[in-house]
Amino acid sequence: MLDVAPIPAFRDNYIWLIRSARDPRAVAVVDPGDAAPVLEWLASEDLHLHAVLATHHHADHVGGARQLVEATGAAVFGPGRERLPVAFTPLGGNDRVSLPALGLEFEVIDVPGHTAGHIAYYGHDALFCGDTLFSAGCGRLFEGTAGQMLASLDALAGLPDSTRVYCGHEYTAANLRFAAAAEPGNADIGDYVRKVTEMRTAGRPSLPSTIGLEKRVNPFLRSRTENVKLSAERRAGRPLPTPVAVFAEVRSWKDMFQ
Ligand SMILES: [Zn+2]
């Protein structure tokens, strides 16, 4: 199992620290919006940062990359269709990123929607998906369309159920309040609410989730289910004939949801 630790940053971001199975001091980080907490972690455990993986260009995901490169000489990988504040190796769908120092390799998946060039990293039964898939939610559509985002989420939902999902933010509890409103009869959502409340009360991250769990509780992966479709149609006040129309309605509903 891939050894991954969360480094909390800002209010609710997670920078994911990936350890090598081969060399206990060799690590990579995903989406370092802030360098300070990463440098602190590296120093406290005497770790060597070999690589920075970026999923998209937002500052809370890449703002610390330049400082980390200057401090450690780490190689940076990122979305080939976006600009980052640091030199990086551009990646796109079906590329593979190899981290020889860690003995790890990840597959790159194009997941446009939150941003136009957003990518995700998949490998070793783990998915690093930035602001595309959240637990019980998904990213806002800042640059892409509902159709693009649904296709991106469908691609992620097609990964094995056991895949651990490392998202960019701790949004699970708030997302679940919306999930319960969007699909009131779903008992898995109630079970998950209890579990997440317990974890958060104990000060633990709710992440990682798994693809299998997300398929059961995440309304954005459930646009094709009758219950989510009915809820969306009730809110829209009209029939929603396609999964994209259902998804778009659920997404805009969530944007307004308090
Ligand atoms: Zn973002």
Side-chain angles (χ1 to χ4, degrees):
M1 187 159 93
L2 195 64
D3 185 343
V4 182
I7 303 178
F10 309 117
R11 216 174 70 155
D12 48 34
N13 283 72
Y14 289 123
I15 300 164
W16 297 107
L17 180 127
I18 306 172
R19 296 175 197 269
S20 160
R22 176 185 294 174
D23 169 0
R25 291 184 52 217
V27 297
V29 290
V30 182
D31 284 355
D34 191 3
V38 177
L39 291 172
E40 222 170 274
W41 192 295
L42 297 177
S44 74
E45 296 201 18
D46 194 21
L47 302 174
H48 183 197
L49 182 68
H50 286 271
V52 169
L53 306 180
T55 61
H56 67 294
H57 68 84
H58 286 161
D60 63 320
H61 293 254
V62 293
R66 178 188 288 273
Q67 202 187 329
L68 288 176
V69 169
E70 285 167 2
T72 67
V76 184
F77 300 87
R81 289 188 289 146
E82 299 193 348
R83 287 186 180 188
L84 303 186
V86 64
F88 67 103
T89 301
L91 300 170
N94 300 320
D95 282 344
R96 299 188 71 86
V97 50
S98 173
L99 310 176
L102 280 75
L104 299 173
E105 195 174 87
F106 294 93
E107 184 184 312
V108 177
I109 306 172
D110 277 326
V111 286
H114 176 68
T115 62
H118 201 306
I119 58 174
Y121 299 89
Y122 170 66
H124 311 276
D125 214 25
L127 172 72
F128 299 91
C129 51
D131 290 353
T132 297
L133 175 63
F134 293 125
S135 187
C138 77
R140 284 176 188 256
L141 302 178
F142 286 125
E143 298 173 10
T145 64
Q148 283 177 320
M149 187 58 136
L150 182 59
S152 296
L153 293 173
D154 283 345
L156 300 183
L159 296 173
D161 283 357
S162 60
T163 307
R164 283 181 300 283
V165 179
Y166 295 91
C167 325
H169 291 269
E170 179 61 66
Y171 287 162
T172 315
N175 285 342
L176 280 169
R177 282 193 288 281
F178 175 74
E183 200 180 355
N186 184 335
D188 288 327
I189 293 176
D191 291 345
Y192 191 33
V193 167
R194 281 185 286 281
K195 196 176 144 206
V196 168
T197 306
E198 218 176 275
M199 288 190 287
R200 298 301 295 146
T201 306
R204 296 202 308 275
S206 66
L207 304 170
S209 176
T210 64
I211 290 293
L213 174 60
E214 292 310 312
K215 288 197 300 198
R216 296 200 305 276
V217 302
N218 191 321
F220 297 100
L221 298 187
R222 297 174 61 78
S223 309
R224 290 175 182 81
T225 65
E226 200 53 29
N227 287 344
V228 172
K229 181 171 187 278
L230 286 173
S231 289
E233 287 182 335
R234 206 172 302 126
R235 182 178 186 271
R238 64 192 163 85
L240 299 169
T242 64
V244 174
V246 173
F247 176 83
E249 183 63 28
V250 176
R251 185 57 261 179
S252 75
W253 181 5
K254 171 72 164 66
D255 287 343
M256 305 288 160
F257 189 78
Q258 297 293 330

